[in-house]
Amino acid sequence: MRYRRLGHSGLFVSELCLGTMTFGGSDGMWGQIGQLQQEEADGLVRTALDAGINFIDTANVYANGRSEAILGQSLRNLGVAREDVVIATKVMGPMGEGPNARGASRGHIMDQAKASLTRLQLDHIDLYQIHGFDPATPMIETLEALDTLVRQGLVRYVGLSNWAAWQIVKAVGIAEARRLMPIVSLQAHYTLAGRDLEREIVPMLQSEDIGLMVWSPLAGGFLSGKYDRDGKTAEGRRVDFDFPPINKDRAYEAIEVMRSIAATKGCSTAQVALAWLLHQNAVTSVIVGAKRSDQLTDNIGAIQVSLTTEELDALDKVTKLPAEYPGWMLERQGGYRAHMIE
C-alpha cells in the first residue's frame, strides 16, 4: 500500500480508502446498497487494515446513521489505535423531518458533527466533508461553521463532496480572505465510464493543490465486468439501483478493452478500472466498498496492477471526452506560449 498527501495538508492517507456505504442498510435505497451488520463489517474493516488501508470514509446519512455506528463499534471491537486510522465522514443530507434537519447551515453542521462523533465513539473527526452544495445556506456560514469545529478540536481537516468547480474556487477564496480552515479535499465521482471531472474540476484541483477522493470508482459495479452489451447481467446493485448515471455505450467500449488487459495481466476487470484511477495524477485516494470480503480483497489487488503506456492509451481512446468549448479554444490559443514554460 502506498500513501499520498491529502491536498496541501500534512496528512497522509492510503491510496485506497474503505467506503462504508454498505454498512447497516435494512430497506429502501440503503438496503439495496448493502445490509452488512456488525460481524460482517468487522471482517471488512480488518481486511482493509491488514492490507495497509488507513483511510475510512462514511457519512451521517448512510443507513440513517447506522453506518457510522457500525464503523465506530468495529474500531472498538478490533482494538484499533486512534492514531492508526484516518476517519472521514460527511454532513448535509436529511437526518430528520424538519426543514433544519438537513443542509449546510451552522446549526445542522454543529449538531451533526457531535452526533457523528457519538455514533463513531470518537473524540474527533479527521476529515469532515460537506456532502453536497446547499443553495439555501450562504457559503460563508458553512465555512465558518467548519472553522469553528476545527478550533474546538472536534475536526482536524475539512473537505467538500459533489461541488462544481466554481463553487469550490469560491469557497477557497472565502476561506483565504477570512483566514478560515482551508479546503483540503474533494470527494467526487470519476471513472473510465464518467470522466466529466476532467473538463473543469481536475485542472482546478491541481491548480489549488486540493486532494481528490474518488467515490463509486466502478460506477456502481458497472465496470466490474458483470454487465454485457447484449443485456446479460450477473447479480449486482445496478439491477435494482441504476446509479450513478453513466454513458453506457462508452462504458461497454471500455469494458471490452479492460477485459483484454485483464486477460493479459491475469487480473480482474475491476482491478483494471481501479488501477486506471490510481494512474491519474489528480487522484489521491480511491474509495472501495464491498458487500463481501472477497470483493474487497479483489479491489485491494488493484494496487499491484501496473498499466503500460500502451494500455493507458487504449483505455483513453475509447473513453476520452469529446471536445467542448472553451477547452478546444484554450488548447489552441495556449499553444502560442505553452512552449515557453516547458
Side-chain angles (χ1 to χ4, degrees), residues 23-208:
F23 291 9
S26 57
D27 53 16
M29 181 183 73
W30 301 114
Q32 292 174 342
I33 293 172
Q35 301 182 21
L36 301 186
Q37 301 307 312
Q38 196 63 59
E39 184 176 353
E40 299 164 304
D42 288 357
L44 286 186
V45 173
R46 171 49 64 197
T47 296
L49 295 173
D50 287 346
I53 291 176
N54 75 338
F55 199 15
I56 305 178
D57 179 72
T58 185
N60 63 345
V61 76
Y62 293 169
N64 300 311
R66 282 288 295 159
S67 172
E68 287 182 327
I70 289 174
L71 172 59
Q73 191 59 47
S74 285
L75 298 177
R76 289 288 181 124
N77 292 347
L78 299 173
V80 180
R82 183 65 185 91
E83 62 270 19
D84 290 341
V85 287
V86 176
I87 303 300
T89 191
K90 300 182 284 293
V91 60
M92 197 203 79
M95 293 299 289
E97 297 300 324
N100 294 312
R102 63 200 67 206
S105 67
R106 171 177 285 274
H108 189 61
I109 289 173
M110 302 296 288
D111 289 345
Q112 287 303 309
K114 293 174 182 177
S116 289
L117 286 169
T118 298
R119 288 189 289 264
L120 289 164
Q121 303 182 55
L122 300 176
D123 63 358
H124 72 272
I125 297 164
D126 294 294
L127 177 65
Y128 202 37
Q129 305 154 96
I130 303 300
H131 208 162
F133 184 75
D134 178 9
T137 301
M139 195 179 289
I140 183 61
E141 179 178 334
T142 298
L143 296 174
E144 286 184 340
L146 292 174
D147 188 71
T148 298
L149 289 171
V150 173
R151 293 179 186 278
Q152 290 179 346
L154 301 180
V155 168
R156 297 284 174 85
Y157 297 95
V158 299
L160 305 171
S161 180
N162 304 317
W163 283 37
W166 73 265
Q167 294 165 342
I168 299 167
V169 170
K170 182 176 179 180
V172 168
I174 292 173
E176 289 181 351
R178 300 294 184 98
R179 297 185 179 180
L180 304 175
M181 188 67 183
I183 306 300
V184 301
S185 65
L186 172 71
Q187 187 173 148
H189 179 55
Y190 186 32
T191 71
L192 274 166
R195 296 173 58 179
D196 310 76
L197 250 66
E198 295 175 2
R199 295 203 189 280
E200 296 284 347
I201 293 178
V202 165
M204 179 276 302
L205 295 177
Q206 293 177 317
S207 171
E208 302 303 318

